[in-house]
PDB file of all heavy atoms in Angstrom:
ATOM      1  N   ASN A 308      -7.019   5.878  -0.380  1.00 97.00           N
ATOM      2  CA  ASN A 308      -7.236   5.750  -1.826  1.00 97.00           C
ATOM      3  C   ASN A 308      -7.021   7.080  -2.558  1.00 97.00           C
ATOM      4  O   ASN A 308      -6.430   7.115  -3.651  1.00 97.00           O
ATOM      5  CB  ASN A 308      -8.664   5.267  -2.110  1.00 97.00           C
ATOM      6  CG  ASN A 308      -8.801   3.784  -1.906  1.00 97.00           C
ATOM      7  OD1 ASN A 308      -7.818   3.072  -1.754  1.00 97.00           O
ATOM      8  ND2 ASN A 308     -10.030   3.301  -1.887  1.00 97.00           N
ATOM      9  N   ALA A 309      -7.525   8.172  -1.948  1.00 98.00           N
ATOM     10  CA  ALA A 309      -7.361   9.483  -2.588  1.00 98.00           C
ATOM     11  C   ALA A 309      -5.870   9.830  -2.674  1.00 98.00           C
ATOM     12  O   ALA A 309      -5.382  10.286  -3.729  1.00 98.00           O
ATOM     13  CB  ALA A 309      -8.091  10.552  -1.758  1.00 98.00           C
ATOM     14  N   ALA A 312      -4.353   7.832  -5.415  1.00 97.00           N
ATOM     15  CA  ALA A 312      -4.735   8.356  -6.730  1.00 97.00           C
ATOM     16  C   ALA A 312      -3.933   9.613  -7.064  1.00 97.00           C
ATOM     17  O   ALA A 312      -3.498   9.797  -8.207  1.00 97.00           O
ATOM     18  CB  ALA A 312      -6.223   8.664  -6.740  1.00 97.00           C
ATOM     19  N   ASP A 351     -10.943  13.939  -4.428  1.00 98.00           N
ATOM     20  CA  ASP A 351      -9.556  14.211  -4.781  1.00 98.00           C
ATOM     21  C   ASP A 351      -9.492  14.780  -6.200  1.00 98.00           C
ATOM     22  O   ASP A 351     -10.452  14.628  -6.965  1.00 98.00           O
ATOM     23  CB  ASP A 351      -8.698  12.944  -4.684  1.00 98.00           C
ATOM     24  CG  ASP A 351      -9.133  11.872  -5.653  1.00 98.00           C
ATOM     25  OD1 ASP A 351      -8.927  12.053  -6.864  1.00 98.00           O
ATOM     26  OD2 ASP A 351      -9.694  10.846  -5.211  1.00 98.00           O
ATOM     27  N   MET A 356     -11.599   7.914 -12.735  1.00 97.00           N
ATOM     28  CA  MET A 356     -11.666   6.505 -13.231  1.00 97.00           C
ATOM     29  C   MET A 356     -12.543   6.419 -14.471  1.00 97.00           C
ATOM     30  O   MET A 356     -13.439   7.230 -14.638  1.00 97.00           O
ATOM     31  CB  MET A 356     -12.359   5.611 -12.171  1.00 97.00           C
ATOM     32  CG  MET A 356     -11.646   5.438 -10.910  1.00 97.00           C
ATOM     33  SD  MET A 356     -12.771   4.628  -9.749  1.00 97.00           S
ATOM     34  CE  MET A 356     -12.774   5.820  -8.467  1.00 97.00           C
ATOM     35  N   VAL A 364     -15.255  -0.924  -8.517  1.00 96.00           N
ATOM     36  CA  VAL A 364     -14.440  -0.517  -7.367  1.00 96.00           C
ATOM     37  C   VAL A 364     -14.883  -1.149  -6.043  1.00 96.00           C
ATOM     38  O   VAL A 364     -14.065  -1.386  -5.174  1.00 96.00           O
ATOM     39  CB  VAL A 364     -14.303   1.005  -7.165  1.00 96.00           C
ATOM     40  CG1 VAL A 364     -13.388   1.612  -8.189  1.00 96.00           C
ATOM     41  CG2 VAL A 364     -15.653   1.675  -7.141  1.00 96.00           C
ATOM     42  N   PHE A 369     -11.153  -6.406  -5.938  1.00 91.00           N
ATOM     43  CA  PHE A 369     -10.831  -5.648  -7.161  1.00 91.00           C
ATOM     44  C   PHE A 369      -9.795  -4.582  -6.851  1.00 91.00           C
ATOM     45  O   PHE A 369      -9.967  -3.746  -5.985  1.00 91.00           O
ATOM     46  CB  PHE A 369     -12.059  -4.997  -7.761  1.00 91.00           C
ATOM     47  CG  PHE A 369     -11.703  -4.089  -8.932  1.00 91.00           C
ATOM     48  CD1 PHE A 369     -11.457  -4.631 -10.181  1.00 91.00           C
ATOM     49  CD2 PHE A 369     -11.541  -2.706  -8.757  1.00 91.00           C
ATOM     50  CE1 PHE A 369     -11.066  -3.826 -11.264  1.00 91.00           C
ATOM     51  CE2 PHE A 369     -11.154  -1.881  -9.839  1.00 91.00           C
ATOM     52  CZ  PHE A 369     -10.931  -2.436 -11.070  1.00 91.00           C
ATOM     53  N   THR A 370      -8.671  -4.624  -7.582  1.00 93.00           N
ATOM     54  CA  THR A 370      -7.652  -3.613  -7.389  1.00 93.00           C
ATOM     55  C   THR A 370      -6.958  -3.330  -8.704  1.00 93.00           C
ATOM     56  O   THR A 370      -6.860  -4.212  -9.553  1.00 93.00           O
ATOM     57  CB  THR A 370      -6.612  -4.025  -6.326  1.00 93.00           C
ATOM     58  OG1 THR A 370      -5.662  -2.967  -6.182  1.00 93.00           O
ATOM     59  CG2 THR A 370      -5.873  -5.311  -6.690  1.00 93.00           C
ATOM     60  N   THR A 371      -6.485  -2.099  -8.887  1.00 95.00           N
ATOM     61  CA  THR A 371      -5.681  -1.813 -10.064  1.00 95.00           C
ATOM     62  C   THR A 371      -4.249  -1.545  -9.624  1.00 95.00           C
ATOM     63  O   THR A 371      -3.406  -1.124 -10.405  1.00 95.00           O
ATOM     64  CB  THR A 371      -6.211  -0.549 -10.791  1.00 95.00           C
ATOM     65  OG1 THR A 371      -6.214   0.523  -9.847  1.00 95.00           O
ATOM     66  CG2 THR A 371      -7.588  -0.757 -11.356  1.00 95.00           C
ATOM     67  N   LYS A 372      -4.003  -1.730  -8.311  1.00 92.00           N
ATOM     68  CA  LYS A 372      -2.687  -1.427  -7.770  1.00 92.00           C
ATOM     69  C   LYS A 372      -1.750  -2.624  -7.834  1.00 92.00           C
ATOM     70  O   LYS A 372      -2.206  -3.762  -7.880  1.00 92.00           O
ATOM     71  CB  LYS A 372      -2.821  -0.915  -6.327  1.00 92.00           C
ATOM     72  CG  LYS A 372      -3.596   0.392  -6.310  1.00 92.00           C
ATOM     73  CD  LYS A 372      -3.945   0.877  -4.923  1.00 92.00           C
ATOM     74  CE  LYS A 372      -4.965   1.986  -5.059  1.00 92.00           C
ATOM     75  NZ  LYS A 372      -5.572   2.353  -3.801  1.00 92.00           N
ATOM     76  N   GLY A 377      -1.897  -2.888  -3.059  1.00 84.00           N
ATOM     77  CA  GLY A 377      -3.339  -2.898  -2.836  1.00 84.00           C
ATOM     78  C   GLY A 377      -3.875  -4.323  -2.794  1.00 84.00           C
ATOM     79  O   GLY A 377      -3.405  -5.162  -3.557  1.00 84.00           O
ATOM     80  N   THR A 378      -4.821  -4.566  -1.891  1.00 82.00           N
ATOM     81  CA  THR A 378      -5.407  -5.917  -1.854  1.00 82.00           C
ATOM     82  C   THR A 378      -6.815  -5.927  -2.463  1.00 82.00           C
ATOM     83  O   THR A 378      -7.367  -6.968  -2.710  1.00 82.00           O
ATOM     84  CB  THR A 378      -5.532  -6.385  -0.398  1.00 82.00           C
ATOM     85  OG1 THR A 378      -6.233  -5.399   0.335  1.00 82.00           O
ATOM     86  CG2 THR A 378      -4.202  -6.617   0.229  1.00 82.00           C
ATOM     87  N   GLY A 379      -7.366  -4.727  -2.692  1.00 86.00           N
ATOM     88  CA  GLY A 379      -8.719  -4.671  -3.253  1.00 86.00           C
ATOM     89  C   GLY A 379      -9.799  -4.945  -2.213  1.00 86.00           C
ATOM     90  O   GLY A 379     -10.910  -5.319  -2.533  1.00 86.00           O
ATOM     91  N   LEU A 380      -9.435  -4.755  -0.933  1.00 84.00           N
ATOM     92  CA  LEU A 380     -10.429  -4.975   0.136  1.00 84.00           C
ATOM     93  C   LEU A 380     -11.010  -3.686   0.668  1.00 84.00           C
ATOM     94  O   LEU A 380     -12.125  -3.666   1.182  1.00 84.00           O
ATOM     95  CB  LEU A 380      -9.755  -5.736   1.292  1.00 84.00           C
ATOM     96  CG  LEU A 380      -9.567  -7.224   1.115  1.00 84.00           C
ATOM     97  CD1 LEU A 380      -8.763  -7.789   2.265  1.00 84.00           C
ATOM     98  CD2 LEU A 380     -10.905  -7.902   1.023  1.00 84.00           C
ATOM     99  N   GLY A 381     -10.249  -2.581   0.532  1.00 89.00           N
ATOM    100  CA  GLY A 381     -10.614  -1.335   1.185  1.00 89.00           C
ATOM    101  C   GLY A 381     -12.059  -0.927   0.940  1.00 89.00           C
ATOM    102  O   GLY A 381     -12.818  -0.687   1.899  1.00 89.00           O
ATOM    103  N   LEU A 382     -12.472  -0.831  -0.317  1.00 93.00           N
ATOM    104  CA  LEU A 382     -13.810  -0.330  -0.598  1.00 93.00           C
ATOM    105  C   LEU A 382     -14.878  -1.364  -0.342  1.00 93.00           C
ATOM    106  O   LEU A 382     -15.999  -0.996   0.046  1.00 93.00           O
ATOM    107  CB  LEU A 382     -13.869   0.167  -2.052  1.00 93.00           C
ATOM    108  CG  LEU A 382     -13.119   1.494  -2.316  1.00 93.00           C
ATOM    109  CD1 LEU A 382     -13.197   1.867  -3.765  1.00 93.00           C
ATOM    110  CD2 LEU A 382     -13.695   2.622  -1.458  1.00 93.00           C
ATOM    111  N   SER A 407     -12.026  11.966  -8.261  1.00 98.00           N
ATOM    112  CA  SER A 407     -13.075  11.089  -7.776  1.00 98.00           C
ATOM    113  C   SER A 407     -13.649  11.644  -6.484  1.00 98.00           C
ATOM    114  O   SER A 407     -12.913  12.234  -5.672  1.00 98.00           O
ATOM    115  CB  SER A 407     -12.535   9.690  -7.472  1.00 98.00           C
ATOM    116  OG  SER A 407     -11.798   9.213  -8.545  1.00 98.00           O
ATOM    117  N   PHE A 409     -15.966  10.265  -3.193  1.00 98.00           N
ATOM    118  CA  PHE A 409     -16.700   9.197  -2.516  1.00 98.00           C
ATOM    119  C   PHE A 409     -17.628   9.818  -1.490  1.00 98.00           C
ATOM    120  O   PHE A 409     -17.219  10.719  -0.726  1.00 98.00           O
ATOM    121  CB  PHE A 409     -15.708   8.209  -1.861  1.00 98.00           C
ATOM    122  CG  PHE A 409     -15.114   7.264  -2.891  1.00 98.00           C
ATOM    123  CD1 PHE A 409     -14.013   7.659  -3.640  1.00 98.00           C
ATOM    124  CD2 PHE A 409     -15.657   6.019  -3.110  1.00 98.00           C
ATOM    125  CE1 PHE A 409     -13.477   6.811  -4.597  1.00 98.00           C
ATOM    126  CE2 PHE A 409     -15.128   5.169  -4.068  1.00 98.00           C
ATOM    127  CZ  PHE A 409     -14.025   5.557  -4.816  1.00 98.00           C
TER     128      PHE A 409
HETATM  129  N1  ATP B 501      -9.936   7.993  -5.243  1.00 55.09           N
HETATM  130  C1  ATP B 501      -9.701   7.110  -6.213  1.00 55.09           C
HETATM  131  N2  ATP B 501      -9.262   7.512  -7.437  1.00 55.09           N
HETATM  132  C2  ATP B 501      -9.028   6.611  -8.418  1.00 55.09           C
HETATM  133  N3  ATP B 501      -9.212   5.300  -8.298  1.00 55.09           N
HETATM  134  C3  ATP B 501      -9.673   4.824  -7.124  1.00 55.09           C
HETATM  135  C4  ATP B 501      -9.953   5.698  -6.009  1.00 55.09           C
HETATM  136  N4  ATP B 501     -10.420   4.943  -4.994  1.00 55.09           N
HETATM  137  C5  ATP B 501     -10.419   3.664  -5.415  1.00 55.09           C
HETATM  138  N5  ATP B 501      -9.976   3.576  -6.695  1.00 55.09           N
HETATM  139  C6  ATP B 501      -9.858   2.347  -7.509  1.00 55.09           C
HETATM  140  O1  ATP B 501     -10.600   1.333  -6.866  1.00 55.09           O
HETATM  141  C7  ATP B 501      -9.788   0.189  -6.651  1.00 55.09           C
HETATM  142  C8  ATP B 501     -10.268  -0.540  -5.427  1.00 55.09           C
HETATM  143  O2  ATP B 501     -10.040   0.229  -4.226  1.00 55.09           O
HETATM  144  P1  ATP B 501      -9.911  -0.509  -2.838  1.00 55.09           P
HETATM  145  O3  ATP B 501      -9.685   0.532  -1.802  1.00 55.09           O
HETATM  146  O4  ATP B 501     -11.056  -1.418  -2.663  1.00 55.09           O
HETATM  147  O5  ATP B 501      -8.642  -1.429  -3.028  1.00 55.09           O
HETATM  148  P2  ATP B 501      -7.094  -0.983  -3.138  1.00 55.09           P
HETATM  149  O6  ATP B 501      -6.918   0.441  -2.705  1.00 55.09           O
HETATM  150  O7  ATP B 501      -6.624  -1.329  -4.492  1.00 55.09           O
HETATM  151  O8  ATP B 501      -6.440  -1.965  -2.067  1.00 55.09           O
HETATM  152  P3  ATP B 501      -6.585  -1.897  -0.444  1.00 55.09           P
HETATM  153  O9  ATP B 501      -7.507  -0.752  -0.115  1.00 55.09           O
HETATM  154  O10 ATP B 501      -7.161  -3.202  -0.053  1.00 55.09           O
HETATM  155  O11 ATP B 501      -5.212  -1.705   0.018  1.00 55.09           O
HETATM  156  C9  ATP B 501      -8.383   0.752  -6.557  1.00 55.09           C
HETATM  157  O12 ATP B 501      -7.395  -0.225  -6.888  1.00 55.09           O
HETATM  158  C10 ATP B 501      -8.430   1.879  -7.606  1.00 55.09           C
HETATM  159  O13 ATP B 501      -8.281   1.360  -8.896  1.00 55.09           O
END
Side-chain angles (χ1 to χ4, degrees):
N308 280 349
D351 63 70
M356 294 170 237
V364 287
F369 174 79
T370 181
T371 56
K372 295 172 192 169
T378 53
L380 281 174
L382 288 177
S407 310
F409 282 83

